[in-house]
């Protein structure tokens, strides 16, 4: 089969489209013909070696497709079922092996491409708004990169829960998208903490910060006393070590650096989040904006565009 392979870490050019051995189907696994693979920022960190993996590897943590074969000890899944997954490596490929523990059956009424586009970021937006901080009606919520893949979903889900959403973006086009997703206020990054204080008085209840180094300090300053700093990514670079005393000085703040795996660790938790996300999609309460589709052979171009902030919403690779 053909897949994208990383044999040495580095820039987008290390993503090479090659012939690869078929992935091995072990007990508890399902083999899937991939219809679409989701591109996520974590794929960039893996490619760069910021989150080290043993080489060579097939990147990609998310996708959707049709079940081609079912391993021993797998129940409730049949050849031909349309499925999706997140947090499973090897998705930038024509075929992927997915442990049944991570497999989601895509309900009728949800297109496979949409499932590939929403699974990883949708589950993440769900745990951030329901578990890291349970967003309540009337909460003030700050969402950075509000027109990005994560940002558009966080904005919509926080609105579903009755919050006032303040977004940050870098361009006018992105501002328009964030507003269409329901953001009440949209700011540029420069001086955003002061602008948030002007809008809210005492600051926001929670900041969802996937930008990292460039926004971290001001994000803390934008929080109200006892607010929650959810640092869930680092698109602009890693945040330097933090003195816990800073949290006291800024008003007894909470700081967490969560990752998806801890919030879908049980089958029940994964099923709860997925059923909410797919349910909202099917009923039209959640919309997924797929801004770009690239042939799988052009994964390098997809990474270049994501890193250069040229994309909005979701980016897919099509085998
Ligand atoms: N912890 C978890 O469980 C988890 C799960 C999924 C994703 N994430 C994190 O969520 C974040 C967003 O991921 P995504 O895939 O949805 O990407 P994305 O938001 O679609 O793209 C990244 C966006 O970040 C903004 N940005 C600000 N400064 C940047 C810089 N120096 N370089 C690049 N981008 C910059 C850009 O929007 P503007 O141009 O508007 O600034 C850019 O479009 C990432 O940090 C990712 O690691 C975490």
């Amino acid at each position: 089969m053909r897949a994208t392979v990383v044999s040495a870490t580095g820039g987008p050019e290390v993503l090479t489209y090659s012939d690869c051995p078929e992935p091995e189907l072990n007990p508890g696994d399902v083999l899937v013909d991939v219809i679409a693979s989701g591109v996520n920022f974590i794929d960039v960190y893996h490619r760069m070696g910021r989150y080290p993996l043993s080489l060579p590897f097939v990147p990609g943590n998310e996708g959707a497709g049709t079940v081609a074969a079912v391993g021993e000890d797998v129940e409730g899944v049949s050849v031909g079922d349309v499925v999706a997954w997140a947090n499973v490596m090897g998705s930038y490929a024509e075929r992927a092996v997915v442990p049944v523990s991570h497999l989601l059956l895509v309900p009728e009424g949800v297109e496979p491409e949409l499932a590939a586009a929403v699974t990883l970021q949708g589950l993440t937006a769900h745990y951030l708004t329901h578990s890291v901080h349970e967003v309540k009606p009337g909460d003030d919520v700050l969402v950075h990169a509000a027109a990005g893949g994560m940002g558009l979903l966080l904005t919509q889900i926080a609105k579903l829960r009755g919050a006032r959403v303040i977004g940050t973006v870098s361009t006018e086009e992105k501002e328009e998208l964030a507003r269409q997703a329901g953001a009440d206020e949209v700011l540029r990054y420069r001086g955003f903490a002061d602008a948030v204080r002007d809008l809210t008085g005492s600051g926001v209840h929670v900041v969802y910060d996937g930008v990292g180094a460039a926004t971290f300090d001001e994000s803390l300053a934008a929080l109200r006393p006892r607010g929650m700093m959810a640092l869930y990514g680092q698109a602009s670079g890693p945040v330097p070590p933090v003195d816990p005393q800073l949290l006291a000085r800024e008003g007894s703040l909470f700081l967490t650096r969560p990752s998806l795996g801890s919030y879908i660790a049980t089958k029940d938790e994964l099923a709860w989040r997925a059923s909410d996300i797919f349910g909202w999609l099917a009923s039209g309460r959640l919309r997924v904006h797929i801004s770009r589709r690239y042939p799988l052979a052009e994964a390098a171009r997809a990474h270049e565009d994501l890193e250069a902030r040229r994309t909005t919403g979701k980016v897919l690779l099509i085998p």
Side-chain angles (χ1 to χ4, degrees), residues 41 45 121 127 149-150 170 174 189 210 232-234 258 260 309:
F41 232 92
Y45 309 142
Q121 292 170 347
Y127 85 70
M150 280 299 309
S170 62
K174 291 184 177 187
Y189 293 94
Y232 71 97
Q234 46 185 28
L260 177 59
R309 305 166 78 163

Side-chain angles (χ1 to χ4, degrees), residues 120-160:
L120 191 148
Q121 292 170 347
L123 293 170
T124 303
H126 190 284
Y127 85 70
L128 287 169
T129 50
H130 289 64
S131 303
V132 165
H133 173 86
E134 209 177 329
V135 175
K136 289 174 222 47
D139 274 4
D140 285 320
V141 171
L142 176 59
V143 176
H144 286 308
M150 280 299 309
L152 288 175
L153 296 174
L154 278 169
T155 298
Q156 292 177 79
I157 296 173
K159 289 304 297 175
L160 281 179

Side-chain angles (χ1 to χ4, degrees), residues 173-192:
E173 181 211 347
K174 291 184 177 187
E175 172 170 350
E176 183 55 32
L177 277 172
R179 287 196 190 279
Q180 283 168 14
D184 299 280
E185 308 286 347
V186 183
L187 308 170
R188 298 297 188 272
Y189 293 94
R190 183 181 291 272
F192 71 81

Side-chain angles (χ1 to χ4, degrees), residues 7-90:
S7 304
T9 54
E13 70 284 352
V14 303
L15 296 166
T16 54
Y17 188 55
S18 330
D19 284 322
C20 274
E22 287 281 334
E24 204 178 316
L25 185 67
N26 290 312
D29 288 343
V30 166
L31 179 71
V32 184
D33 285 326
V34 177
I35 294 174
S37 318
V39 176
N40 291 285
F41 232 92
I42 194 168
D43 308 339
V44 173
Y45 309 142
H46 286 152
R47 191 207 72 216
M48 294 166 81
R50 195 175 277 170
Y51 298 168
L53 295 173
S54 51
L55 297 164
F57 64 88
V58 175
N61 286 269
E62 170 187 47
T66 311
V67 174
V70 174
E72 282 172 38
D73 305 331
V74 172
E75 286 172 12
V77 184
S78 308
V79 170
D81 284 348
V82 179
V83 294
W85 61 92
N87 255 18
V88 179
M89 283 292 295

Side-chain angles (χ1 to χ4, degrees), residues 67-293:
V67 174
V70 174
E72 282 172 38
D73 305 331
V74 172
E75 286 172 12
V77 184
S78 308
V79 170
D81 284 348
V82 179
V83 294
W85 61 92
N87 255 18
V88 179
M89 283 292 295
S91 307
Y92 287 12
E94 288 177 332
R95 271 179 292 288
V97 156
V98 182
V100 71
S101 56
H102 286 63
L103 204 73
L104 299 166
L105 289 172
V106 176
E108 288 203 13
V110 175
E111 289 296 318
E113 269 199 6
L114 275 188
V118 80
T119 299
L120 191 148
Q121 292 170 347
L123 293 170
T124 303
H126 190 284
Y127 85 70
L128 287 169
T129 50
H130 289 64
S131 303
V132 165
H133 173 86
E134 209 177 329
V135 175
K136 289 174 222 47
D139 274 4
D140 285 320
V141 171
L142 176 59
V143 176
H144 286 308
M150 280 299 309
L152 288 175
L153 296 174
L154 278 169
T155 298
Q156 292 177 79
I157 296 173
K159 289 304 297 175
L160 281 179
R161 293 183 69 90
R164 170 163 68 151
V165 174
I166 303 170
T168 54
V169 296
S170 62
T171 68
E172 218 167 286
E173 181 211 347
K174 291 184 177 187
E175 172 170 350
E176 183 55 32
L177 277 172
R179 287 196 190 279
Q180 283 168 14
D184 299 280
E185 308 286 347
V186 183
L187 308 170
R188 298 297 188 272
Y189 293 94
R190 183 181 291 272
F192 71 81
D194 286 342
V196 165
R197 289 199 165 274
D198 288 346
L199 288 166
T200 58
S202 52
V204 292
H205 294 78
V206 58
V207 180
Y208 294 118
D209 190 340
V211 171
T215 45
F216 182 79
D217 291 343
E218 264 197 75
S219 290
L220 291 180
L223 281 164
R224 65 173 50 205
R226 292 161 51 177
M228 169 65 76
M229 170 66 176
L231 175 69
Y232 71 97
Q234 46 185 28
S236 68
V239 173
V242 178
D243 175 1
Q245 194 55 33
L246 179 63
L247 304 177
R249 258 198 326 266
E250 296 279 353
S252 306
L253 302 180
F254 293 87
L255 166 63
T256 182
R257 175 62 182 88
S259 67
L260 177 59
S262 317
Y263 285 90
I264 51 170
T266 67
K267 197 91 188 145
D268 284 351
E269 210 172 10
L270 175 63
W272 164 46
R273 301 193 196 286
S275 110
D276 278 358
I277 295 297
F278 287 141
W280 293 329
L281 261 188
S283 67
R285 297 178 79 200
L286 186 67
R287 284 183 302 137
V288 179
H289 171 68
I290 301 174
S291 69
R292 296 182 188 216
R293 295 172 178 79

